[in-house]
Amino acid sequence: MSLRVIAGKAKGRKLKTVEGDTTRPITDRVKESLFNILGADVIESNWWDLFGGTGAVGIEALSRGASFVRFTDMNREPIETIKYNLDHCQFESQAEVRRADAFAYLAAKPDREFEYIYIAPPQYKDMWSKALELVDENPDWLADDGWVIVQIAPREYRTSTPAIENLEEFDQRKYGSTLLLFYERKERV
């Protein structure tokens, strides 16, 4: 699969991919649809690309005007790929790349708020629901008007139901074999 930046400052730049099945690449069609939904809200936003993989989603956000993206991944090869892609697109100064366990990180005290937390873990391991539950337990990671966006296969959604209280799903969009789920913080009483 060939990855590229679709729009913005780095439009047309090809991104390096990660060999094997440890990442869940996003297609151009899904990425373009996602950013069409978000529109101008991306500008000046802070993102956390939780299971960074190639960094394609966070780099697209930076290209379209996001202020900052934190990338985390557990494995060395995706971390090196993200660093390469950030350098190639000239976004190193707007990014932080950490090799870390996403679940341990989410369970820690928040050190920053994000308008968008993007969750696209390796497929069919119910990691998405565990990550969503941890954001729900620690909602200060998310800005008051922030969104959690989950990228999974449709059948993963049918086999795993996260136990959440502070977040609510407000939309979902299916693009072939990809399902995007959108969550926001519930109104505080």
mmCIF file of all heavy atoms in Angstrom, residues 91-108:
data_model
loop_
_atom_site.group_PDB
_atom_site.id
_atom_site.type_symbol
_atom_site.label_atom_id
_atom_site.label_comp_id
_atom_site.label_asym_id
_atom_site.label_seq_id
_atom_site.Cartn_x
_atom_site.Cartn_y
_atom_site.Cartn_z
ATOM 1 N N PHE A 91 8.052 18.304 9.699
ATOM 2 C CA PHE A 91 7.155 18.609 10.816
ATOM 3 C C PHE A 91 7.738 18.203 12.179
ATOM 4 O O PHE A 91 7.017 18.158 13.169
ATOM 5 C CB PHE A 91 5.801 17.896 10.644
ATOM 6 C CG PHE A 91 4.973 18.416 9.509
ATOM 7 C CD1 PHE A 91 4.436 17.535 8.587
ATOM 8 C CD2 PHE A 91 4.713 19.769 9.365
ATOM 9 C CE1 PHE A 91 3.640 17.992 7.538
ATOM 10 C CE2 PHE A 91 3.937 20.243 8.323
ATOM 11 C CZ PHE A 91 3.403 19.351 7.401
ATOM 12 N N GLU A 92 9.052 17.932 12.246
ATOM 13 C CA GLU A 92 9.637 17.462 13.510
ATOM 14 C C GLU A 92 9.387 18.439 14.660
ATOM 15 O O GLU A 92 9.170 18.015 15.793
ATOM 16 C CB GLU A 92 11.150 17.243 13.420
ATOM 17 C CG GLU A 92 11.666 16.527 12.230
ATOM 18 C CD GLU A 92 12.023 17.461 11.081
ATOM 19 O OE1 GLU A 92 11.568 18.619 11.038
ATOM 20 O OE2 GLU A 92 12.746 17.007 10.203
ATOM 21 N N SER A 93 9.434 19.732 14.390
ATOM 22 C CA SER A 93 9.313 20.725 15.469
ATOM 23 C C SER A 93 7.897 20.806 16.042
ATOM 24 O O SER A 93 7.704 21.359 17.121
ATOM 25 C CB SER A 93 9.745 22.110 14.972
ATOM 26 O OG SER A 93 8.842 22.578 13.985
ATOM 27 N N GLN A 94 6.923 20.247 15.354
ATOM 28 C CA GLN A 94 5.542 20.281 15.824
ATOM 29 C C GLN A 94 5.087 18.933 16.382
ATOM 30 O O GLN A 94 3.900 18.738 16.627
ATOM 31 C CB GLN A 94 4.612 20.675 14.673
ATOM 32 C CG GLN A 94 4.829 22.076 14.166
ATOM 33 C CD GLN A 94 4.042 22.285 12.901
ATOM 34 O OE1 GLN A 94 4.572 22.180 11.802
ATOM 35 N NE2 GLN A 94 2.755 22.553 13.059
ATOM 36 N N ALA A 95 6.029 18.025 16.561
ATOM 37 C CA ALA A 95 5.665 16.662 16.953
ATOM 38 C C ALA A 95 6.518 16.166 18.110
ATOM 39 O O ALA A 95 7.636 16.627 18.337
ATOM 40 C CB ALA A 95 5.816 15.725 15.761
ATOM 41 N N GLU A 96 5.951 15.211 18.796
ATOM 42 C CA GLU A 96 6.650 14.487 19.853
ATOM 43 C C GLU A 96 6.438 13.012 19.561
ATOM 44 O O GLU A 96 5.301 12.584 19.348
ATOM 45 C CB GLU A 96 6.026 14.862 21.192
ATOM 46 C CG GLU A 96 6.534 14.097 22.366
ATOM 47 C CD GLU A 96 5.749 14.482 23.617
ATOM 48 O OE1 GLU A 96 6.049 15.521 24.209
ATOM 49 O OE2 GLU A 96 4.811 13.733 23.976
ATOM 50 N N VAL A 97 7.513 12.246 19.517
ATOM 51 C CA VAL A 97 7.433 10.819 19.219
ATOM 52 C C VAL A 97 7.936 10.054 20.434
ATOM 53 O O VAL A 97 9.062 10.272 20.881
ATOM 54 C CB VAL A 97 8.276 10.455 17.973
ATOM 55 C CG1 VAL A 97 8.136 8.971 17.648
ATOM 56 C CG2 VAL A 97 7.883 11.317 16.779
ATOM 57 N N ARG A 98 7.082 9.183 20.954
ATOM 58 C CA ARG A 98 7.460 8.410 22.144
ATOM 59 C C ARG A 98 7.224 6.922 21.907
ATOM 60 O O ARG A 98 6.146 6.524 21.493
ATOM 61 C CB ARG A 98 6.628 8.838 23.352
ATOM 62 C CG ARG A 98 6.943 10.231 23.825
ATOM 63 C CD ARG A 98 6.255 10.504 25.124
ATOM 64 N NE ARG A 98 6.527 11.861 25.584
ATOM 65 C CZ ARG A 98 6.061 12.345 26.700
ATOM 66 N NH1 ARG A 98 5.309 11.618 27.490
ATOM 67 N NH2 ARG A 98 6.340 13.583 27.056
ATOM 68 N N ARG A 99 8.244 6.147 22.238
ATOM 69 C CA ARG A 99 8.072 4.695 22.230
ATOM 70 C C ARG A 99 7.533 4.350 23.611
ATOM 71 O O ARG A 99 8.245 4.452 24.616
ATOM 72 C CB ARG A 99 9.401 4.001 21.969
ATOM 73 C CG ARG A 99 9.245 2.513 21.843
ATOM 74 C CD ARG A 99 10.524 1.852 21.410
ATOM 75 N NE ARG A 99 10.331 0.415 21.332
ATOM 76 C CZ ARG A 99 11.293 -0.440 21.087
ATOM 77 N NH1 ARG A 99 12.518 -0.018 20.882
ATOM 78 N NH2 ARG A 99 11.031 -1.726 21.054
ATOM 79 N N ALA A 100 6.262 3.971 23.645
ATOM 80 C CA ALA A 100 5.606 3.761 24.940
ATOM 81 C C ALA A 100 4.413 2.824 24.791
ATOM 82 O O ALA A 100 3.834 2.690 23.716
ATOM 83 C CB ALA A 100 5.122 5.106 25.493
ATOM 84 N N ASP A 101 4.054 2.211 25.893
ATOM 85 C CA ASP A 101 2.853 1.389 25.976
ATOM 86 C C ASP A 101 1.660 2.340 26.080
ATOM 87 O O ASP A 101 1.535 3.088 27.053
ATOM 88 C CB ASP A 101 2.943 0.486 27.204
ATOM 89 C CG ASP A 101 1.717 -0.380 27.378
ATOM 90 O OD1 ASP A 101 0.608 0.178 27.534
ATOM 91 O OD2 ASP A 101 1.863 -1.611 27.378
ATOM 92 N N ALA A 102 0.804 2.329 25.091
ATOM 93 C CA ALA A 102 -0.338 3.252 25.045
ATOM 94 C C ALA A 102 -1.229 3.118 26.276
ATOM 95 O O ALA A 102 -1.726 4.124 26.799
ATOM 96 C CB ALA A 102 -1.151 2.998 23.782
ATOM 97 N N PHE A 103 -1.415 1.911 26.761
ATOM 98 C CA PHE A 103 -2.318 1.691 27.892
ATOM 99 C C PHE A 103 -1.738 2.259 29.185
ATOM 100 O O PHE A 103 -2.447 2.898 29.957
ATOM 101 C CB PHE A 103 -2.650 0.209 28.035
ATOM 102 C CG PHE A 103 -3.226 -0.377 26.771
ATOM 103 C CD1 PHE A 103 -2.573 -1.409 26.121
ATOM 104 C CD2 PHE A 103 -4.389 0.124 26.222
ATOM 105 C CE1 PHE A 103 -3.090 -1.939 24.950
ATOM 106 C CE2 PHE A 103 -4.911 -0.395 25.041
ATOM 107 C CZ PHE A 103 -4.253 -1.429 24.408
ATOM 108 N N ALA A 104 -0.446 2.053 29.408
ATOM 109 C CA ALA A 104 0.195 2.628 30.595
ATOM 110 C C ALA A 104 0.180 4.149 30.517
ATOM 111 O O ALA A 104 -0.063 4.836 31.515
ATOM 112 C CB ALA A 104 1.621 2.105 30.716
ATOM 113 N N TYR A 105 0.418 4.662 29.346
ATOM 114 C CA TYR A 105 0.425 6.110 29.144
ATOM 115 C C TYR A 105 -0.952 6.698 29.424
ATOM 116 O O TYR A 105 -1.092 7.720 30.110
ATOM 117 C CB TYR A 105 0.845 6.406 27.708
ATOM 118 C CG TYR A 105 1.588 7.692 27.509
ATOM 119 C CD1 TYR A 105 2.583 7.784 26.539
ATOM 120 C CD2 TYR A 105 1.306 8.838 28.246
ATOM 121 C CE1 TYR A 105 3.268 8.957 26.324
ATOM 122 C CE2 TYR A 105 1.984 10.014 28.032
ATOM 123 C CZ TYR A 105 2.954 10.075 27.073
ATOM 124 O OH TYR A 105 3.632 11.247 26.858
ATOM 125 N N LEU A 106 -2.005 6.088 28.880
ATOM 126 C CA LEU A 106 -3.372 6.581 29.099
ATOM 127 C C LEU A 106 -3.790 6.498 30.559
ATOM 128 O O LEU A 106 -4.614 7.297 31.013
ATOM 129 C CB LEU A 106 -4.364 5.785 28.247
ATOM 130 C CG LEU A 106 -4.432 6.142 26.777
ATOM 131 C CD1 LEU A 106 -5.273 5.129 26.024
ATOM 132 C CD2 LEU A 106 -4.971 7.552 26.572
ATOM 133 N N ALA A 107 -3.248 5.542 31.294
ATOM 134 C CA ALA A 107 -3.601 5.381 32.709
ATOM 135 C C ALA A 107 -2.890 6.409 33.598
ATOM 136 O O ALA A 107 -3.301 6.632 34.739
ATOM 137 C CB ALA A 107 -3.265 3.964 33.172
ATOM 138 N N ALA A 108 -1.843 7.043 33.073
ATOM 139 C CA ALA A 108 -1.073 8.023 33.847
ATOM 140 C C ALA A 108 -1.818 9.362 33.925
ATOM 141 O O ALA A 108 -2.760 9.612 33.180
ATOM 142 C CB ALA A 108 0.292 8.221 33.194
#
